[in-house]
Amino acid sequence: MSTPTIVLVHGAFADSASYAPVTRALLDQGHTVRVPAVPNRSLLGDAAYVRSVVEQIDGPVLLVGHSYGGAVITVAGAAENVVGLVYLAGYALDEGESLGALQGGFPDSDLAANLVYTPFPVPGAEDGTDVSVDVTAFPEVFAAGVDRRTTEVLAVSQRPLAALAFGEEAPVAAWRTKPAWGIVSAADHTINPAVERFGYERGGFRSVVELDAPHLVMLSHPDEVVAFIADAATAVA
């Protein structure tokens, strides 16, 4: 088996730029990397899109998902050429489980009280609902530990998640048939760290590392994240 292409999948309230330091470092190490823009419109639609990107890559793929991106790779990872999954402060859903159901089994994080709901038009249907993080709360709730000036830019350029995604059930859990690795952000105020631990333990992940990191672990601890991803890539190569 050849060295896998590393596909980095961002989560809600973020975009591909959230991986910038990690992407740069992986490229410098000689890895082939792709960082698709996730639509954040629905779990099933987002997973189908990411899977379409993966299936057009020649050779094996290591999928990396941050936050909501973890739920996306859980479904998209069923693609035949996916050889492994890496979760970064992510949701590791089971078959038939939704984000709301998994999150609902644990106490709310600080995120719940700081969400903003706004309508957006859907052609030929009722308006959808976008979910975002209150701009003033974003630096502490979503990006604590990251340079304040950077978090202020991230706050006003965040990519919302359609509310539909929270209730959709995962039709498959790729970690059941593919090796998986996970990082727990122990200082996470967006996802209760217990949610991350539970998903990784349930999945019998090959390696789980806890970092004293905020939700945006890729920006606060890029070196540790790069090393973790590179180790997983080596393991499946």
Side-chain angles (χ1 to χ4, degrees):
M1 185 180 294
S2 60
T3 302
T5 295
I6 298 171
V7 177
L8 305 174
V9 180
H10 68 78
F13 323 129
D15 58 21
S16 300
S18 62
Y19 278 110
V22 169
T23 302
R24 180 68 266 167
L26 289 171
L27 289 172
D28 289 344
Q29 291 181 8
H31 294 283
T32 302
V33 184
R34 297 290 182 269
V35 196
V38 182
N40 283 3
R41 296 296 82 187
S42 71
L43 174 60
L44 300 184
D46 294 341
Y49 173 72
V50 170
R51 179 167 181 164
S52 74
V53 171
V54 165
E55 291 179 332
Q56 294 178 68
I57 294 173
D58 184 19
V61 168
L62 177 69
L63 271 178
V64 180
H66 172 248
S67 188
Y68 167 68
V72 173
I73 70 169
T74 295
V75 180
E80 187 175 344
N81 61 328
V82 171
V83 293
L85 309 164
V86 176
Y87 291 77
L88 307 177
Y91 291 104
L93 300 180
D94 201 354
E95 295 175 9
E97 187 173 55
S98 67
L99 287 167
L102 176 57
Q103 185 79 55
F106 299 85
D108 285 341
S109 68
D110 295 339
L111 177 69
N114 291 285
L115 292 175
V116 177
Y117 302 87
T118 54
F120 67 89
V122 179
E126 294 184 6
D127 284 352
T129 300
D130 260 343
V131 184
S132 59
V133 183
D134 181 82
V135 169
T136 59
F138 188 100
E140 295 302 325
V141 172
F142 195 77
V146 179
D147 174 73
R148 180 76 184 201
R149 287 172 60 83
T150 299
T151 65
E152 290 171 352
V153 173
L154 296 174
V156 298
S157 57
Q158 59 183 291
R159 192 182 188 104
L161 177 66
L164 175 65
F166 290 95
E168 289 185 317
E169 297 177 350
V172 62
W175 50 259
R176 287 186 170 273
T177 56
K178 313 284 176 80
W181 293 258
I183 288 180
V184 174
S185 287
D188 202 330
H189 293 284
T190 297
I191 299 177
N192 185 332
V195 175
E196 300 164 23
R197 295 187 192 100
F198 172 78
Y200 303 167
E201 292 170 3
R202 176 175 62 181
F205 285 16
R206 287 193 178 187
S207 176
V208 174
V209 172
E210 292 220 10
L211 298 178
D212 184 19
H215 189 61
L216 282 178
V217 61
M218 315 91 71
L219 289 177
S220 66
H221 292 67
D223 293 343
E224 292 92 332
V225 170
V226 168
F228 193 74
I229 294 172
D231 284 348
T234 298
V236 298

